[in-house]
Amino acid sequence: MRSASPALTDLHALGAAGPYRSRNLDVVMDVTARPVAELSLVPWLFAQRTLQALRTAVPPDPARRAKLLDRAGWLFASGSVDGVSPDTHHRTVASVSGLPVSLVREVTRQVGDYAATAHDSVRQARPVGAADSWRDHRVRQGSGVWTRRGEVLVCHAPANSPVVHTAWLDALALGYRVAIRPSRREPFTAHRLVTALRQVGYDNDQVALLPTDHPTANRLVGEADLALVFGGEEVARTYGSGTLVMPFGPGRSKILLTAGADPARHLDVLAESVAGHAGTGCVNATAVFVEGDPAPVAAAIAERLAALPSLPPGDEAARLPVRRSAAAHAVDQQLRARAGTARPVLGADGIVEELGDGSAVLRPAVFLLDRADAPQARVEMGFPCVWVAPWRRSGDWLAPLRHTLSLTAFTDDAELIGALVAEPTIDKVHIGDRPTTWTRPGLPHQGYLGEFLMRTKAVVVD
């Protein structure tokens, strides 16, 4: 990454032969519509040749992969990457993504920590009866061996948070060669991470950065052995039934407050679940179900979220997402259209607060619903927006809680806990004071990614 002019950064594609500057340049702008960088968009032929080079490359041995990932994680989070300091990187990402700079700093550290532990964390998914290698002594008597399902993984990365880039690090730790198609709105995180990996010793034919237009991005998925694709409902519908593409769609994370729980005691967890990470993640709670009267709970959440300040993303006290003004007003209009008969407790007069520089803050919204099966309870907006509804243990009481990425439940009912853990459409269950956003390295997200990337085959070496 080098300076193309005093005000503009040149973000090269990173192919198998090294950095590449395309004739097709996309201008990356910050939330005030100020140009920040020129991003090279690669043509299909370049992308195809890069994937071919990755497919024929031999990955480093596991011990070397572990060392390289450890070094790259530290460099990405704490070092100078291609001459760019961590602070400059944090502020650049904040300016183009609209995420608070303090959040960018936190999740950059998390990505670095994850890289350092990826080699060990990804093995949490390995079956206990399987060996890592055919050289394992168990193979002499016959054993399962954990092997890759392919050689090349493509990742279509979004712009909602830098933390999404932990996903493809698992694949790299397992010996896949990886091509990342970064978000054109926020390509800086992916560029820095790929550059850091190459800077510590990963060869160019092991990990590549391929910014593209949308048609080329779709062709990349078809050319890859496996792919990770992030997006909304359309992504889930398009790829949900396939076995070679893992879609990361809406999370629809939720909170359940049973009759014995005191909402006042858990208000910190409720607020963090809704507005932590600026409310932009798939693990942010978008619905709260209350066994009893939901109105006081909605009012308490609204009071807490209303106190969050409206500040530009570069302010250390910022906690809310910022978008260009037109984009922010479009989100507001979409919210009004989807709210229907829901009663607004916070955000009745709109969620947009102009900052006077062409950008606007997306303020929190809290809505009260009259029934648990209201369609609004499944609406995910990408900023702190939550729907609060009554919930009863009668009929199909599990129905409103299904299809949930992360569920925090306040209950000591063992039968209820067992039912939540057993429910196939709930991916994470937190009982007690753990926000829906909580995680740590080694824990599954939508299951272990290794379950998608790997398979176990029988091997015997006589």
Side-chain angles (χ1 to χ4, degrees):
M1 187 166 59
R2 61 179 176 79
S3 176
S5 72
L8 217 55
T9 296
D10 192 348
L11 284 180
H12 290 118
L14 300 172
Y20 170 79
R21 191 173 197 272
S22 173
R23 295 178 182 178
N24 186 11
L25 299 174
D26 190 40
V27 177
V28 182
M29 296 186 180
D30 69 12
V31 292
T32 69
R34 178 182 66 88
V36 175
E38 288 181 334
L39 177 66
S40 287
L41 302 183
V42 303
W44 168 242
L45 183 59
F46 181 94
Q48 187 180 43
R49 286 177 175 173
T50 300
L51 293 187
Q52 290 171 351
L54 266 59
R55 182 167 285 110
T56 58
V58 177
D61 65 67
R64 179 162 170 75
R65 293 200 298 265
K67 290 179 180 178
L68 292 178
L69 284 165
D70 186 18
R71 294 171 187 166
W74 177 89
L75 182 62
F76 170 79
S78 306
S80 175
V81 178
D82 203 15
V84 179
S85 70
D87 185 65
T88 297
H89 171 71
H90 300 152
R91 296 195 175 279
T92 301
V93 171
S95 74
V96 299
S97 68
L99 296 173
V101 68
S102 61
L103 171 60
V104 174
R105 186 180 299 115
E106 176 188 348
V107 296
T108 297
R109 178 188 55 77
Q110 289 177 1
V111 173
D113 289 347
Y114 193 93
T117 61
H119 178 77
D120 293 326
S121 294
V122 75
R123 277 160 177 74
Q124 299 293 326
R126 187 185 66 191
V128 293
D132 257 335
S133 167
W134 68 268
R135 292 182 172 87
D136 189 289
H137 68 90
R138 289 175 290 175
V139 174
R140 294 186 178 277
Q141 303 301 320
S143 174
V145 177
W146 212 37
T147 60
R148 292 186 293 275
R149 293 180 62 205
E151 298 298 336
V152 175
L153 177 88
V154 164
C155 176
H156 282 202
N160 63 306
S161 172
V163 79
V164 299
H165 292 284
T166 58
W168 57 264
L169 289 172
D170 279 354
L172 207 61
L174 289 167
Y176 277 86
R177 277 73 75 208
V178 179
I180 302 95
R181 190 262 181 174
S183 162
R184 289 163 63 175
R185 184 160 67 93
E186 197 283 274
F188 291 93
T189 298
H191 193 283
R192 181 178 177 87
L193 188 49
V194 172
T195 302
L197 287 160
R198 292 183 171 197
Q199 201 166 309
V200 300
Y202 257 104
D203 291 336
N204 293 344
D205 60 5
Q206 298 294 317
V207 56
L209 184 79
L210 300 177
T212 66
D213 56 24
H214 289 292
T216 303
N218 291 333
R219 295 180 73 179
L220 279 171
V221 172
E223 191 80 3
D225 297 329
L226 298 175
L228 309 177
V229 181
F230 292 77
E233 292 281 6
E234 185 177 352
V235 163
R237 285 194 299 268
T238 301
Y239 298 111
S241 61
T243 60
L244 300 180
V245 179
M246 185 168 186
F248 292 86
R252 297 194 178 97
S253 297
K254 303 175 182 71
I255 292 174
L256 174 63
L257 278 160
T258 60
D262 179 3
R265 284 185 52 205
H266 308 300
L267 188 55
D268 287 346
V269 172
L270 295 175
E272 171 63 25
S273 296
V274 175
H277 290 196
T280 62
C282 55
V283 290
N284 283 107
T286 54
V288 175
F289 295 97
V290 181
E291 188 176 24
D293 185 2
V297 176
I301 295 173
E303 183 179 8
R304 177 66 66 88
L305 299 187
L308 295 173
S310 292
L311 296 167
D315 194 302
E316 291 293 341
R319 294 294 180 269
L320 296 172
V322 176
R323 302 287 295 274
R324 295 179 206 168
S325 293
H329 284 285
V331 172
D332 184 60
Q333 291 173 8
Q334 182 185 17
L335 176 62
R336 300 301 138 202
R338 303 185 78 173
T341 59
R343 180 161 70 87
V345 181
L346 179 65
D349 297 326
I351 58 163
V352 177
E353 186 163 346
E354 300 280 353
L355 291 175
D357 58 2
S359 69
V361 176
L362 291 173
R363 299 279 319 156
V366 179
F367 289 87
L368 192 60
L369 302 174
D370 59 6
R371 67 183 202 275
D373 63 349
Q376 294 93 331
R378 294 178 53 79
V379 171
E380 186 171 289
M381 293 299 302
F383 72 97
C385 176
V386 66
W387 314 84
V388 185
W391 177 83
R392 297 177 180 84
R393 301 192 209 203
S394 59
D396 188 3
W397 58 268
L398 255 177
L401 306 175
R402 292 191 177 106
H403 304 288
T404 298
L405 174 56
S406 183
L407 172 69
T408 289
F410 294 98
T411 180
D412 57 4
D413 184 331
E415 184 177 346
L416 173 60
I417 294 170
L420 296 176
V421 173
E423 169 54 43
T425 66
I426 300 175
D427 288 303
K428 302 182 179 189
V429 177
H430 301 164
I431 304 299
D433 280 311
R434 296 281 189 179
T436 57
T437 55
W438 182 83
T439 189
R440 63 168 175 78
L443 288 181
H445 184 64
Q446 289 181 210
Y448 284 115
L449 191 59
E451 298 169 14
F452 169 71
L453 297 172
M454 306 292 279
R455 63 185 290 255
T456 305
K457 63 174 66 175
V459 179
V460 60
V461 177
D462 194 349

